[in-house]
């Protein structure tokens, strides 16, 4: 299986940066699958401009297929525009927009129904890490997010909330420990897929982090907003 490196633009970037990204995305990848999660409104433009080795992903989608849900975008609509990959359950969705594990499970089921590949995000807040019961928290989040889902391929991003957007990265052994746990939970549930890490990955730490046992790629926020992303996206090619 190839490594997976995704960019998450969040609520950033405009046409100007899309043109810049188009110019930067001229690298080749052999061992890596690369995607960029862009705001909905730019999906069509990015699909038109980015080379085929950069997949254009959504950052989120509705738990409903259609209906009276003002402001939502459905998986059916994303598929119509050629999107078959989406970030799911990012901690900002969970914390700021109150998405529960049950909502994320509904979204996961809908993604699977329509053949859209989700990248399911999991991660503990800082107080759980500090108290030491972060593995219980993560297991609970994992169990409730996957619900009844078994026998499938699902990519998972481990993103400790306390490491997102602040230049704090966990120690390598801390990342390795959680990846190993997720691997074990996946095995129990007959789920296979890549386990990637996200949280303050940048061009200076990407190579070091890429060597962590059981780490299959990265989800990158801030450093995906400029040309630094090229160095991170190609780090598994070295
Ligand atoms: P960051 O964000 O790389 O800016 O820490 C990661 C993410 O939120 O996916």
């Amino acid at each position: 299986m190839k490594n997976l490196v995704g960019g998450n633009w969040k609520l950033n970037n405009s046409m100007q940066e899309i043109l810049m990204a188009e110019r930067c995305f001229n690298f080749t990848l052999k061992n890596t699958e690369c995607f960029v999660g862009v705001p909905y409104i730019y999906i069509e433009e990015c699909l038109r401009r980015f080379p085929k080795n950069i997949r254009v992903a959504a950052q989120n989608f509705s738990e409903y297929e259609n209906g009276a849900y003002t402001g939502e975008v459905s998986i059916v609509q994303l598929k119509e525009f050629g999107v078959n990959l989406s970030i799911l359950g990012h901690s900002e969705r969970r914390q700021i927009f109150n998405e529960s594990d049950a909502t994320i499970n509904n979204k996961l089921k809908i993604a699977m129904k329509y053949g859209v590949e989700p990248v399911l995000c999991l991660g503990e807040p800082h107080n759980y890490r500090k108290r030491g019961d972060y593995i219980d928290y993560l297991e609970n989040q994992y169990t409730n997010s996957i619900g009844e889902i078994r026998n499938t391929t699902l990519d998972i991003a481990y993103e400790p909330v306390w490491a997102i957007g602040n230049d704090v990265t966990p120690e390598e052994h801390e990342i390795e420990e959680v990846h190993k746990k997720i691997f074990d939970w996946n095995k129990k549930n007959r789920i296979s897929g890549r386990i990637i890490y996200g949280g303050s990955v940048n061009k200076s730490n990407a190579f070091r982090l890429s060597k962590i046992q059981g780490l299959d790629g990265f989800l990158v926020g801030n450093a995906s907003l400029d040309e630094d992303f090229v160095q991170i996206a190609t780090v598994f090619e070295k």
Side-chain angles (χ1 to χ4, degrees):
M1 213 176 331
K2 289 187 176 187
N3 292 102
L4 179 68
V5 177
N8 178 8
W9 283 3
K10 309 189 181 185
L11 189 52
N12 296 301
N13 283 357
S14 62
M15 266 317 293
Q16 199 185 328
E17 286 82 16
I18 290 170
L19 297 177
M20 192 194 76
E22 183 186 12
R23 281 196 298 276
C24 291
F25 289 165
N26 56 0
F27 48 87
T28 51
L29 295 171
K30 273 198 355 237
N31 311 320
T32 313
E33 195 182 316
C34 182
F35 73 85
V36 189
V38 306
Y40 292 130
I41 190 111
Y42 296 129
I43 282 177
E44 207 185 353
E45 195 66 36
C46 292
L47 277 168
R48 197 169 28 241
R49 291 181 179 277
F50 294 173
K52 288 285 162 281
N53 64 342
I54 311 286
R55 293 175 72 184
V56 177
Q59 299 172 10
N60 181 35
F61 51 89
S62 176
E63 68 181 302
Y64 305 106
E65 289 175 49
N66 52 50
Y69 302 105
T70 303
E72 291 286 272
V73 171
S74 78
I75 209 104
V76 184
Q77 293 164 334
L78 289 171
K79 278 210 84 170
E80 195 180 10
F81 278 82
V83 175
N84 45 29
L85 179 67
S86 180
I87 299 168
L88 168 63
H90 189 278
S91 65
E92 286 148 19
R93 298 298 320 168
R94 293 175 185 268
Q95 295 200 323
I96 305 169
F97 299 99
N98 299 319
E99 286 192 13
S100 65
D101 290 341
T103 302
I104 287 152
N105 179 249
N106 284 338
K107 292 185 178 193
L108 191 53
K109 285 189 286 205
I110 239 183
M112 299 204 149
K113 175 174 171 191
Y114 285 97
V116 168
E117 297 164 47
V119 177
L120 172 66
C121 301
L122 303 174
E124 80 283 5
H126 191 239
N127 52 329
Y128 287 87
R129 172 62 63 168
K130 233 169 77 190
R131 270 207 316 255
D133 52 355
Y134 56 96
I135 296 291
D136 291 342
Y137 178 93
L138 287 164
E139 186 167 16
N140 196 45
Q141 195 181 44
Y142 171 95
T143 306
N144 295 331
S145 301
I146 69 158
E148 304 296 305
I149 287 166
R150 302 286 181 275
N151 285 317
T152 194
T153 303
L154 173 65
D155 295 321
I156 294 180
Y158 169 52
E159 298 206 302
V161 178
W162 48 277
I164 293 179
N166 57 11
D167 282 333
V168 174
T169 40
E171 301 287 327
E172 278 107 305
H173 70 87
E174 294 177 315
I175 298 174
E176 190 176 329
E177 180 197 26
V178 174
H179 279 230
K180 168 111 191 27
K181 289 282 177 199
I182 296 172
F183 182 85
D184 291 344
W185 301 331
N186 274 347
K187 204 164 161 203
K188 227 165 55 195
N189 293 297
R190 298 179 301 282
I191 290 174
S192 60
R194 291 161 290 198
I195 304 170
I196 67 176
Y197 167 77
S200 300
V201 177
N202 57 45
K203 67 174 179 190
S204 315
N205 62 23
F207 184 71
R208 178 172 53 83
L209 297 175
S210 73
K211 300 291 168 204
I212 294 173
Q213 180 100 28
L215 182 147
D216 304 314
F218 297 123
L219 185 54
V220 186
N222 278 332
S224 72
L225 299 177
D226 54 38
E227 62 267 38
D228 286 3
F229 186 61
V230 175
Q231 290 190 49
I232 303 168
T234 53
V235 81
F236 291 95
E237 303 294 308
K238 289 171 187 151

